[in-house]
Amino acid sequence: MKIIIDIGHPGHVHLFKNFAKEMQQKGNKILFTCRQKEFEIELLKSEGLTYVSFGKKYKTTFGKIFGLLKFDFLEFIQGLKFKPDLFISHGSPYAAHAAALLRKPHISLEDTGNMEQVRLYLPFTDSVLTSDAFHKDLGAKQIQYKGYHELAYLHPNWFTPDPKIYDILKIKRDTKYIILRFVSWNASHDINQSGLSITEKRELIEHLEKTYTVFISSEGELPSDLRKYQIKIPPQEMHNALAYASIFIGEGATMASESAILGTPAIYINSISAGTISQQEEYELLFNFKNGTGVIDKIKALDKISDREKLFEKRQQKLLEDKIDVTAFLIWFIERYPESKNYTINNQKIA
């Protein structure tokens, strides 16, 4: 089997990397296509995955319209060259459109529910795989499973935290540290949305520094006074950093969800309650704020919890008991497609 996997975010590399490696070991051929956004290419290289980059993404409204046409064309041309049996993506309109033109199936994984993007790919997609926690009904093409995207790479079957991260961060093993994540607010789903103001960011750091070493991961360029906090690690080490962090605080849903799954208390600050955030709140692994109001009070409350690490480990284990290995599910679904699609629909089961 030959498969093209299109990615549009660093998290998508993690989402599909174990699937790709397992399928390659079984004799299948996998090709990744991407645009250059943040550090997708570095991650693809570090994982030894074959890829083709179509160049940088566009940020303006006009640029995004032009980019849709350009990347659609490049994805189609790559499909002609590679001759895939099917396309897989995380809601990529480029993969969906190319698949339709080539008369091949397109299977999408979805967890954000950005309807602007969904409308572009859904008519050209055969199946959409979503978490049972996904908050929208995408119709007859939707197939649910008991898990989250992050469990495709952070499930214990695939990931074990490595304490070498302390050496990479250049801190002592007993150092308590916090990871802050700031987004650039340039994505289409970020329009009219917000998180922390620059004043709130500075106030937050001032408070945290009293107890913790602070590291910042940022999509955009940081103000000059905050650059000294910027985390400087290879991108493939970020999950180790999240696993050993005392608390994660950030505007990015993916890293907040990853932290929750790793058992790290996660404070998510964003006016969008994306994907699986609400369910992870129910497990009390994640705490959602629309803006900076109340965040410092929540940090103070977390700091007062005795044996916090054991408490969150217990909550993490409960989540893992309730969920599946998403990579194993995806391998089963693709290897047996379209019978797997018919099976799940006909039996009306959640995998």
Side-chain angles (χ1 to χ4, degrees):
M1 186 185 297
K2 298 175 76 174
I3 301 170
I4 285 182
I5 302 175
D6 188 62
I7 60 169
H9 183 278
H12 303 167
V13 180
H14 298 301
L15 173 61
F16 295 115
K17 66 184 181 183
N18 294 317
F19 165 81
K21 291 176 182 178
E22 288 294 304
M23 292 295 282
Q24 284 175 330
Q25 287 182 5
K26 295 183 176 189
N28 303 287
K29 293 184 178 180
I30 309 291
L31 175 67
F32 283 82
T33 55
C34 65
R35 274 70 51 204
Q36 194 174 339
K37 181 191 174 189
E38 194 172 353
F39 45 80
E40 293 95 329
I41 291 174
E42 290 87 339
L43 286 171
L44 287 165
K45 286 181 178 178
S46 72
E47 297 292 342
L49 299 167
T50 303
Y51 71 92
V52 173
S53 173
F54 297 149
K56 292 185 178 180
K57 295 189 78 170
Y58 299 91
K59 295 182 179 180
T60 66
T61 301
F62 175 78
K64 288 176 181 179
I65 295 170
F66 172 74
L68 178 62
L69 298 173
K70 174 185 174 180
F71 298 137
D72 266 4
F73 175 74
L74 292 174
E75 188 80 15
F76 172 69
I77 294 300
Q78 198 59 53
L80 286 175
K81 292 178 181 179
F82 189 69
K83 296 180 174 61
D85 296 291
L86 57 85
F87 289 75
I88 304 174
S89 76
H90 180 298
S92 165
Y94 320 120
H97 299 164
L101 288 170
L102 294 167
R103 297 184 178 182
K104 300 296 181 181
H106 171 243
I107 297 169
S108 174
L109 278 75
E110 179 65 61
D111 71 343
T112 59
N114 173 16
M115 294 310 294
E116 176 183 308
Q117 190 172 19
V118 170
R119 291 186 190 99
L120 287 173
Y121 77 77
L122 189 58
F124 310 95
T125 296
D126 291 76
S127 297
V128 183
L129 308 181
T130 69
S131 166
D132 61 339
F134 186 70
H135 56 291
K136 293 184 179 179
D137 182 356
L138 301 182
K141 296 178 180 180
Q142 185 174 2
I143 294 172
Q144 293 185 312
Y145 59 87
K146 292 181 179 177
Y148 311 128
H149 283 188
E150 293 78 14
L151 284 168
Y153 52 94
L154 294 179
H155 191 282
N157 290 344
W158 302 104
F159 178 75
T160 301
D162 191 338
K164 72 178 181 182
I165 190 62
Y166 286 99
D167 299 326
I168 296 172
L169 289 169
K170 298 179 181 179
I171 56 177
K172 294 180 179 179
R173 295 287 174 109
D174 59 350
T175 301
K176 294 181 178 180
Y177 67 90
I178 297 276
I179 292 182
L180 301 178
R181 171 65 171 177
F182 302 145
V183 302
S184 62
W185 303 102
N186 286 326
S188 59
H189 57 264
D190 290 330
I191 296 172
N192 298 323
Q193 304 298 334
S194 62
L196 290 164
S197 68
I198 187 61
T199 299
E200 288 173 329
K201 290 174 182 178
R202 292 189 172 108
E203 290 175 350
L204 182 58
I205 292 167
E206 183 180 353
H207 172 77
L208 291 170
E209 277 194 308
K210 298 172 185 176
T211 309
Y212 302 99
T213 296
V214 176
F215 295 103
I216 298 176
S217 167
S218 179
E219 258 186 331
E221 187 174 349
L222 289 169
S224 57
D225 62 315
L226 301 186
R227 289 175 194 160
K228 64 181 179 179
Y229 302 103
Q230 189 146 24
I231 193 166
K232 297 175 182 178
I233 60 174
Q236 64 270 24
E237 296 295 337
M238 182 55 74
H239 296 136
N240 286 318
L242 292 175
Y244 287 99
S246 296
I247 304 173
F248 166 84
I249 305 167
E251 300 166 322
T254 297
M255 287 181 70
S257 181
E258 288 172 340
S259 299
I261 286 168
L262 291 166
T264 299
I267 296 176
Y268 173 61
I269 309 161
N270 196 312
S271 51
I272 305 173
S273 183
T276 58
I277 295 298
S278 296
Q279 193 175 89
Q280 289 168 347
E281 278 191 282
E282 294 174 11
Y283 284 96
E284 297 184 275
L285 288 162
L286 183 147
F287 310 94
N288 189 189
F289 292 81
K290 301 298 182 185
N291 51 51
T293 304
V295 170
I296 290 178
D297 288 338
K298 172 52 71 174
I299 295 166
K300 290 177 180 178
L302 288 171
D303 285 341
K304 290 179 181 178
I305 299 174
S306 60
D307 293 327
R308 185 174 72 198
E309 187 174 334
K310 289 183 179 179
L311 174 63
F312 276 79
E313 183 179 348
K314 185 177 179 180
R315 292 174 180 176
Q316 176 199 26
Q317 289 305 312
K318 177 66 172 85
L319 180 148
L320 292 173
E321 288 170 5
D322 292 346
K323 302 302 176 184
I324 64 168
D325 177 341
V326 175
T327 289
F329 166 69
L330 185 57
I331 290 170
W332 169 81
F333 191 83
I334 298 301
E335 283 187 327
R336 291 163 177 78
Y337 196 82
E339 288 79 11
S340 55
K341 171 186 176 181
N342 297 331
Y343 175 83
T344 51
I345 292 173
N346 292 337
N347 288 275
Q348 296 183 331
K349 289 183 177 180
I350 296 177

